[in-house]
Amino acid sequence: MRIPLFSTPGKATALTLALLCAGAAFPVAQAQTGAVPVASAATLAPQFKAPKIDWSRELRVISGVSVAPGGDLVFIGSDARIHRTDAEGNERWNYAAGDLGRAYPVLTPQGGVIAASYDDSVYALDPAGKLLWKVRLDGDIFATPALRPDGSVIVATAGGTVHALSTEGKTLWTVKAGAPVFSSPAIARDGTIYLGTQGSQLLALTPEGKLKWSFRAGSLVFSSPAIDAAGNVYFGSSDRKLYSLDPAGALRWTRQTGLFVNASPIVTSTGLVVVGSYDGRVYAVGSDGKDAWTYAAGAPITAPAAELSDGTVVVPDLSGTLHAIGTAGQPLWQLGTGKKMDLGVSVSDAGTLYFVTEGGRLNALKGQRPLAVGPWTTFHALPSAVGRAPSPQELAAATQARQRAAGAVLTALTPLAPVATAPAAAPTPTVPTPAVPTPTAPTAQVPAGKPAPAQSTPPQPTLPQPVPVLTPQQQAIVAAGVARASNGQIYLPLSASAGALGLAVSSVTPRTANLLVDGTLLPVTVKVFNNVPFVPLAALAALPNTTARLDLTPAPAVTLTRAEQDITFPIRVVQLVPLRGQPEFPGVLRK
């Protein structure tokens, strides 16, 4: 009998009832609160407008989507075929499997594909889609196979058996799990294999297939384990808990949620364990078991999250909303599709984010960020879904690849558009600067209750007198490292030639300033860093009769043209320093 993990038409009734019964077997638990804030998508306005979908194709995707290092996409369709497309969804080839499949295809370093199907079989294809071997096992395969460093494959079945297959498809060993397995195996750096069972256990197997230890949870384990840099293991259970075990199988801590946790957790680049629950919340828990933040999505979550390189966490829910969550748990943006999403997002190194909506439509958001580099920042550890904790060498290679890809952001400086706010909105809070003890400034605004000067009239005499934009010493600072990034915007320093554009800075405090344009006060955020005023590129480009041009050769630079005058800001990418937070890739501009 086939009991698919997700809602495949005509195949989900039995599992849905099982999940509901499992959830009903335990009293509703209140989430830990304490002083940890709960950000709600329903009550807190998102910080930015949702990005627009760049393209959407009815490709009838039914499995998770795996992404090759070169950007190709591999998935199983509702036509029971294994498909490989380019990054735009244009098909390269397809291969007929014996049935549908929900497991993510696994991509090998050589470009091959390992895919599993409901026909009880595992398929190995070469990069061109030619069958290398096929092995029929003892039951349907819902769990994504895991690829070991030597190329052998670990596959678990609904028949309750774990199989190790060689690179030629030969059986190396088998182990009886004692119950059906829907949890995808996860392999630690030391070769230990972890997986959950429908017998409410998490099993740890040696590389040779011997039982190392087992841990009993309170209910079924659909969740696929995640492994952090220290080798600790995290998984969810239908008993409404997130579990943390050490490599020896000892319980470290649990985190109670409101409903069952069948989603698979991830471990962010900063060590937070992030997982969604059927209670409609996303939980971020530190390695020590203490809550970092909780985000209320408002709809059940069964899909794994993914962390982007700036720390943003992206997770879909069953109502059809894609949530982007900030590093403090705040809503950044929400993209509503109206169609259920129970598969996690996939992210290419080039920063394209892919997600699948009910019915198998594949959607792409370009111009995002690549994945964060870490041991388990997406489902099954890497975009290629290998299910193995990356080695230091693999992490270093991923960092280099994503640095190169992130450099492409320079070709399209289009910061996220903020959500419109009322004119009387409160000033932006002070933001600390990591490299300098003095924090940066809030938005320079006219105090509440006092009318702002009209754009057509000069500033009031009581305003501080304009100060020189840059001294020669400050110009030397600018020459050493020009552009800075803060809160999703690119900031440029005003050089002495800014006066030719009719721009000047009016000093307010050592850390804040106002921008004067042709003698008129402009309500623009000016940040003062090392006594150098920085103004948002978007604000400067939006000035009347002003244009902005980005040049990449002979060296990266932004040129503003206003009143038939030019001012050029060189961009020293290698020495870029952010005004806020740490850059995801030092030396690469934040978008």
Side-chain angles (χ1 to χ4, degrees), residues 74-76 80-84 93-98 105-116 122-135 147 153 167-169:
V74 183
F75 56 86
I76 299 176
R81 288 179 173 271
I82 304 164
H83 295 263
R84 183 168 190 147
W93 53 256
N94 68 74
Y95 182 88
V106 176
L107 306 181
T108 70
Q110 296 75 30
V113 176
I114 306 292
V122 181
Y123 297 81
L125 309 176
D126 71 8
K130 179 181 178 181
L131 181 68
L132 298 175
W133 50 262
K134 172 187 173 182
V135 176
L147 184 68
V153 183
T167 54
E168 293 80 27

Side-chain angles (χ1 to χ4, degrees), residues 71-345:
D72 280 3
L73 312 177
V74 183
F75 56 86
I76 299 176
S78 59
D79 57 358
R81 288 179 173 271
I82 304 164
H83 295 263
R84 183 168 190 147
T85 76
D86 63 16
E88 300 295 317
N90 300 306
E91 186 155 285
R92 295 191 185 279
W93 53 256
N94 68 74
Y95 182 88
D99 203 341
L100 306 178
R102 287 283 285 183
Y104 285 61
V106 176
L107 306 181
T108 70
Q110 296 75 30
V113 176
I114 306 292
S117 168
Y118 293 165
D119 67 349
D120 305 354
S121 298
V122 181
Y123 297 81
L125 309 176
D126 71 8
K130 179 181 178 181
L131 181 68
L132 298 175
W133 50 262
K134 172 187 173 182
V135 176
R136 187 174 180 87
L137 303 180
D138 65 321
D140 293 346
I141 304 168
F142 301 102
T144 298
L147 184 68
R148 297 203 282 190
D150 63 359
S152 60
V153 183
I154 305 299
V155 187
T157 72
T161 305
V162 184
H163 303 258
L165 305 177
S166 72
T167 54
E168 293 80 27
K170 305 297 182 182
T171 298
L172 300 175
W173 50 258
T174 61
V175 172
K176 288 295 183 181
V181 178
F182 299 114
S183 168
S184 300
I187 303 174
R189 285 184 181 175
D190 65 359
T192 301
I193 303 159
Y194 300 101
L195 54 93
T197 76
Q198 297 299 283
S200 304
Q201 289 186 309
L202 186 85
L203 304 181
L205 307 177
T206 68
E208 297 75 31
K210 305 298 182 182
L211 180 64
K212 193 172 183 179
W213 50 259
S214 65
F215 176 89
R216 183 169 294 277
S219 188
L220 312 178
V221 180
F222 289 96
S223 176
S224 301
I227 306 170
D228 69 12
N232 299 311
V233 184
Y234 306 92
F235 67 97
S237 170
S238 294
D239 65 0
R240 311 179 184 197
K241 289 181 181 178
L242 171 66
Y243 287 85
S244 173
L245 308 179
D246 70 15
L251 178 65
R252 300 176 68 233
W253 49 260
T254 63
R255 198 331 179 163
Q256 189 81 36
T257 70
L259 280 173
F260 34 85
V261 184
N262 294 335
S264 302
I266 64 169
V267 180
T268 72
S269 54
T270 59
L272 291 181
V273 184
V274 178
V275 70
S277 167
Y278 213 87
D279 66 6
R281 293 188 173 190
V282 181
Y283 297 85
V285 186
S287 178
D288 57 1
K290 296 180 180 179
D291 283 3
W293 49 261
T294 302
Y295 174 92
I301 297 170
T302 60
E307 184 200 10
L308 306 186
S309 58
D310 67 341
T312 298
V313 169
V314 181
V315 62
D317 67 28
L318 292 185
S319 76
T321 301
L322 193 64
H323 301 265
I325 308 169
T327 53
Q330 76 276 23
L332 297 181
W333 51 262
Q334 290 114 31
L335 176 60
T337 68
K339 294 187 177 181
K340 180 177 69 174
M341 290 186 280
D342 57 11
L343 291 167
V345 302

Side-chain angles (χ1 to χ4, degrees), residues 411-458:
T411 64
L413 287 176
T414 53
L416 284 172
V419 173
T421 56
T428 304
T430 299
V431 179
T433 301
V436 178
T438 303
T440 55
T443 303
Q445 294 179 329
V446 176
K450 296 182 180 181
Q455 292 292 322
S456 59
T457 60

